[in-house]
């Protein structure tokens, strides 16, 4: 069988996923030689780290299957990870067809656990057809991970840690005194604090009064003053939303430093696609005291009721953080 035409469909599906903010993976499931399901990653849209393209394709197929097929073929732009492989084997997949190797994806930046399908081939008696449109699949991975690598993750310099500790304190104070989510922000010009605040979405009853936006708003036009010290750095204990990054760009912020990634709605992934103002996009550093921000989110969950505004959001962040730590 010519699997290239099916891999082309998987590639197109992966590209659709990229446009939706997902990672570049596509899957096609064949039952007795006919397409029964096509899918791309839905990790971001579903807030579920298990919803890889393979899992979504299989799940959609199972919703409509009426009789068990004799032959199942899973075609993927990249070699399946351990979770996807296990699900496929349990379904009874007879054949795995893929383009890029999982090792290639990991080298480019994927955080999946590496397994080699060859190691299980004899145990489960399935067929492997690899390197189908490999160059095209590899190029898609390379372009995605290199293009989207706008955040430098580190434990932080002594200066970054100093200011992030202050942001965390402000976030915790906002939680205790204002019932806000524990997210703190400090806007620093050189060695001078221009403004600092917790998030204000609960206090002001508004979904757009995020702390990063409010810190820049409260700084007024000081950020435009010719005497404003540099660098102008925005420290946020949680990754800013796209709203915050937009405000940072408008206010000519030189660097954004954040602690914990905001997996459901973090704005850094959109920065490479902003056209026409790339010279003004700030440097972004993530991961500074991220564990401490996680602990604050846990404290919020332990001290607030489930129907509280922001509870589900905090729960999602904690869940994703903990699932990552287990891998």
């Amino acid at each position: 069988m010519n699997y290239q035409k099916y891999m082309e469909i998987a590639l197109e599906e992966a590209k659709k996923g990229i446009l939706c903010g997902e990672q570049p993976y596509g899957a096609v499931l064949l039952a007795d030689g006919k397409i029964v399901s096509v899918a791309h990653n839905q990790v971001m849209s579903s807030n579920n780290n298990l919803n890889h393209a393979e899992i979504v394709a299989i799940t959609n197929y199972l919703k409509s299957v009426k009789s068990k097929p004799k032959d199942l073929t899973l075609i993927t732009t990249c070699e399946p990870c351990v979770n996807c492989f296990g699900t496929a084997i349990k379904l009874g997949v007879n054949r795995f067809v893929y383009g890029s190797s999982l090792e290639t994806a990991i080298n480019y930046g994927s955080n999946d656990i590496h397994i080699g399908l060859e190691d299980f081939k004899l145990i489960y008696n399935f067929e492997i057809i690899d390197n189908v449109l490999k160059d095209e699949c590899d190029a898609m991975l390379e372009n995605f991970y290199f293009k989207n690598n706008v955040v430098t993750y580190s434990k932080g310099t002594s200066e970054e840690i100093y200011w992030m500790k202050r942001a965390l304190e402000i976030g915790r104070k906002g939680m205790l005194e204002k019932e806000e989510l524990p997210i703190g922000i400090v806007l620093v010009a050189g060695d001078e604090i221009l403004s600092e605040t917790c998030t204000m979405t609960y206090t002001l009853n508004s979904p757009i009064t995020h702390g990063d936006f409010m810190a820049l708003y409260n700084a007024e036009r000081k950020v435009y003053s010719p005497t404003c010290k540099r660098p102008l750095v925005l420290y946020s204990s949680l990754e800013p939303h796209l709203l915050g990054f937009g405000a940072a760009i408008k206010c000519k912020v030189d660097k954004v430093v954040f602690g914990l990634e905001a997996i459901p709605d973090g704005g850094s992934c959109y920065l490479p696609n902003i056209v026409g103002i790339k010279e003004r996009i700030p440097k972004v550093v993530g991961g500074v005291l991220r564990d401490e921000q996680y602990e604050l989110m846990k404290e919020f969950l332990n001290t607030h009721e489930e129907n509280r505004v922001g509870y589900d959001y905090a729960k999602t962040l904690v869940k994703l953080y903990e699932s990552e730590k287990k891998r």
Side-chain angles (χ1 to χ4, degrees):
M1 182 179 289
N2 178 13
Y3 289 109
Q4 287 194 8
K5 64 178 182 180
Y6 298 114
M7 187 61 75
E8 289 172 355
I9 295 173
L11 281 163
E12 287 304 311
E13 188 67 18
K15 292 172 184 176
K16 291 179 184 178
I18 293 173
L19 293 176
C20 297
E22 301 287 350
Q23 290 188 328
Y25 302 101
V28 175
L29 185 64
L30 304 181
D32 295 331
K34 295 181 180 180
I35 295 178
V36 291
S37 187
V38 177
H40 56 70
N41 266 33
Q42 292 185 15
V43 171
M44 302 301 288
S45 61
S46 66
N47 290 334
N48 187 337
N49 201 45
L50 296 178
N51 276 341
H52 291 188
E54 299 93 326
I55 300 291
V56 177
I58 289 171
T59 301
N60 290 342
Y61 165 68
L62 291 175
K63 291 177 182 178
S64 60
V65 63
K66 296 180 180 179
S67 59
K68 186 175 180 180
K70 296 178 181 179
D71 186 79
L72 281 172
T73 301
L74 182 62
I75 300 160
T76 54
T77 55
C78 184
E79 180 180 6
C81 72
V82 61
N83 288 327
C84 296
F85 168 71
T87 303
I89 285 294
K90 192 171 183 61
L91 178 66
V93 169
N94 311 100
R95 189 175 300 102
F96 291 88
V97 180
Y98 58 86
S100 300
S101 69
L102 188 55
E103 184 177 5
T104 297
I106 292 171
N107 288 338
Y108 280 138
S110 168
N111 60 359
D112 285 313
I113 299 172
H114 181 255
I115 63 164
L117 296 194
E118 289 285 351
D119 297 335
F120 300 92
K121 185 177 178 180
L122 295 178
I123 300 174
Y124 294 104
N125 190 29
F126 57 83
E127 181 182 0
I128 295 175
I129 302 174
D130 57 6
N131 297 327
V132 177
L133 297 185
K134 180 181 184 299
D135 291 344
E136 290 85 343
C137 293
D138 285 354
M140 183 171 62
L141 285 174
E142 180 179 15
N143 181 62
F144 177 85
Y145 282 109
F146 283 3
K147 182 179 179 182
N148 287 276
N149 188 22
V150 297
V151 182
T152 300
Y153 285 93
S154 75
K155 294 183 178 179
T157 64
S158 58
E159 182 179 26
E160 290 168 348
I161 291 172
Y162 173 83
W163 291 115
M164 189 58 72
K165 283 183 177 179
R166 188 177 182 94
L168 287 163
E169 290 172 1
I170 292 168
R172 189 167 192 275
K173 184 178 179 181
M175 177 181 67
L176 296 175
E177 297 181 1
K178 299 179 183 294
E179 296 291 313
E180 293 283 357
L181 276 169
I183 305 168
I185 295 85
V186 182
L187 180 64
V188 180
D191 57 356
E192 175 188 349
I193 295 176
L194 290 188
S195 66
E196 55 186 10
T197 181
C198 61
T199 190
M200 299 291 284
T201 55
Y202 183 71
T203 302
L204 299 179
N205 193 29
S206 169
I208 66 171
T209 50
H210 293 202
D212 37 47
F213 177 80
M214 294 303 298
L216 291 161
Y217 178 84
N218 293 338
E220 300 176 332
R221 299 192 69 85
K222 295 176 186 176
V223 295
Y224 287 111
S225 170
T227 60
C228 181
K229 295 180 181 179
R230 293 288 169 174
L232 182 61
V233 184
L234 182 72
Y235 292 91
S236 176
S237 59
L238 185 71
E239 178 186 1
H241 186 271
L242 183 59
L243 172 73
F245 275 112
I249 292 170
K250 182 65 177 177
C251 293
K252 302 184 186 300
V253 169
D254 298 300
K255 183 168 71 170
V256 174
V257 181
F258 67 82
L260 183 64
E261 310 92 281
I263 298 296
D265 61 353
S268 62
C269 64
Y270 298 101
L271 296 181
N273 298 317
I274 296 177
V275 178
I277 55 173
K278 290 197 172 183
E279 70 279 6
R280 286 163 47 198
I281 292 178
K283 178 181 179 182
V284 185
V285 177
V288 180
L289 301 185
R290 69 191 295 266
D291 293 352
E292 286 78 354
Q293 177 61 36
Y294 156 73
E295 292 296 338
L296 276 181
M297 287 295 179
K298 274 183 57 179
E299 184 177 343
F300 178 85
L301 294 178
N302 291 332
T303 54
H304 291 74
E305 297 180 356
E306 291 188 11
N307 61 354
R308 167 69 169 75
V309 173
Y311 189 92
D312 288 342
Y313 184 78
K315 186 177 180 180
T316 297
L317 286 172
V318 168
K319 182 179 178 181
L320 289 170
Y321 175 95
E322 291 175 346
S323 65
E324 176 198 311
K325 284 292 186 182
K326 290 178 181 178
R327 291 202 304 269

